[in-house]
Amino acid sequence: TGRRARMPTLLPLWRKARRVSSAASRLPGTTSLRFALHGWQRGKSKREMLKTASVIAHQHHEHFDGSGYPQGLKADEIDIFARIVAVSDVFDALSSDRIYRPAWNDERIYSYFREHRGSKFDPDIVDTFFDALPELLEIRALFSD
């Protein structure tokens, strides 16, 4: 199917993102988030990937309805990449065990996205998430801890 054809393009991007994140986290005295925010604050990078990472780091906690942080941006004021990462970040976080709580089951996660569609999350991104869910579950299985 068309979905299956897209899978090979998603995996190299996923692997590259993991390598960049891993490399940034090994910089002395920094974290990936601080590394990206440093680039955001300085605004000096000419590299599109670092500019994009900076925007994502800065905006992925914004909510579609404007109730997020740090700037209270809403809807299309939030960069499309940050809106996508907001959904993927929450999906990954809820799917994973944490020291303070076990991973949620898939149905609970899906219910959470349905409940917050249009408030925390861009409704179009949530719809796309559900459309791509079989592929996302394959990727999650490939890269599970």
Side-chain angles (χ1 to χ4, degrees), residues 31-46:
T31 65
S32 300
L33 179 60
R34 269 196 252 142
F35 177 72
L37 285 175
H38 178 72
W40 170 269
Q41 292 163 345
R42 301 287 241 159
K44 293 187 177 189
S45 179
K46 293 181 180 13

Side-chain angles (χ1 to χ4, degrees), residues 18-33 35:
R18 287 176 62 113
R19 281 195 310 273
V20 168
S21 176
S22 176
S25 69
R26 288 192 304 269
L27 292 172
T30 191
T31 65
S32 300
L33 179 60
F35 177 72

Side-chain angles (χ1 to χ4, degrees), residues 83-97:
R83 287 181 273 150
I84 292 167
V85 169
V87 170
S88 60
D89 183 48
V90 169
F91 178 64
D92 178 62
L94 297 178
S95 297
S96 304
D97 286 327

Side-chain angles (χ1 to χ4, degrees), residues 67-132:
S67 66
Y69 66 91
Q71 295 176 282
L73 301 175
K74 66 180 180 178
D76 290 340
E77 295 171 351
I78 307 165
D79 188 90
I80 185 67
F81 291 122
R83 287 181 273 150
I84 292 167
V85 169
V87 170
S88 60
D89 183 48
V90 169
F91 178 64
D92 178 62
L94 297 178
S95 297
S96 304
D97 286 327
R98 299 290 193 238
I99 54 174
Y100 54 88
R101 62 146 181 85
W104 289 13
N105 68 50
D106 287 346
E107 286 306 317
R108 185 175 178 195
I109 295 169
Y110 306 155
S111 178
Y112 183 83
F113 280 115
R114 286 185 193 100
E115 179 183 342
H116 294 286
R117 181 187 179 276
S119 57
K120 287 188 182 205
F121 307 112
D122 180 329
D124 292 333
I125 304 299
V126 172
D127 294 344
T128 302
F129 166 81
F130 282 113
D131 289 344

